[in-house]
């Protein structure tokens, strides 16, 4: 399995963050793919092809998501920069989101 997936959880409510717009960009900021989290807060395939080794950004439009949900928040956008070193590997980048904090890790 190759490619990239993500999962966004709303830490305040303990539920999936449904409807978060996400953009995959290369190191120069060129958008390669985009999507919106589903009813489980997931995008199972952010991109349709394997990622070649290099630097990428996964950008989460948290500002609009917070506004749409009537939540005052500090982070209008989360930009997670990561490095792909193996094109044959699947990469999973989850986000645990709250109005004044977020965390992420390299998932599996």
């Amino acid at each position: 399995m190759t490619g990239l997936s993500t999962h966004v959880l709303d830490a305040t409510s303990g539920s999936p963050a449904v409807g978060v717009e996400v953009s995959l960009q290369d190191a120069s900021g060129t958008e390669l793919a985009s999507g919106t989290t589903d009813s489980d807060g997931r995008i199972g395939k952010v991109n349709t092809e394997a990622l070649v080794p290099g630097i990428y950004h996964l950008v989460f439009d948290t500002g609009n998501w917070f506004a749409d949900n009537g939540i005052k928040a500090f982070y209008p956008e989360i930009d997670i920069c990561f490095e792909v070193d193996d094109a044959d590997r699947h990469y999973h980048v989850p986000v645990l989101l709250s109005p004044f904090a977020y965390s992420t890790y390299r998932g599996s």
Side-chain angles (χ1 to χ4, degrees):
M1 184 172 172
T2 61
L4 175 67
S5 60
T6 190
H7 188 197
V8 184
L9 293 174
D10 177 353
T12 304
S13 68
S15 59
V18 178
V20 177
E21 296 288 331
V22 181
S23 171
L24 174 64
Q25 302 172 4
D26 66 15
S28 71
T30 300
E31 185 175 279
L32 305 174
S34 63
T36 305
T37 57
D38 64 15
S39 62
D40 195 34
R42 296 180 185 272
I43 302 176
K45 285 192 168 215
V46 174
N47 60 317
T48 57
E49 299 177 16
L51 296 173
V52 298
I55 304 292
Y56 294 89
H57 295 263
L58 201 54
V59 181
F60 298 80
D61 183 2
T62 52
N64 281 326
W65 184 83
F66 282 126
D68 290 347
N69 288 280
I71 301 169
K72 181 168 173 44
F74 186 67
Y75 297 103
E77 180 178 274
I78 297 172
D79 181 345
I80 300 172
C81 182
F82 63 99
E83 184 172 8
V84 168
D85 58 5
D86 181 356
D88 295 326
R89 180 180 181 135
H90 177 78
Y91 292 85
H92 182 65
V93 180
V95 173
L96 186 60
L97 180 63
S98 72
F100 301 101
Y102 68 89
S103 63
T104 187
Y105 57 92
R106 181 178 180 173
S108 58

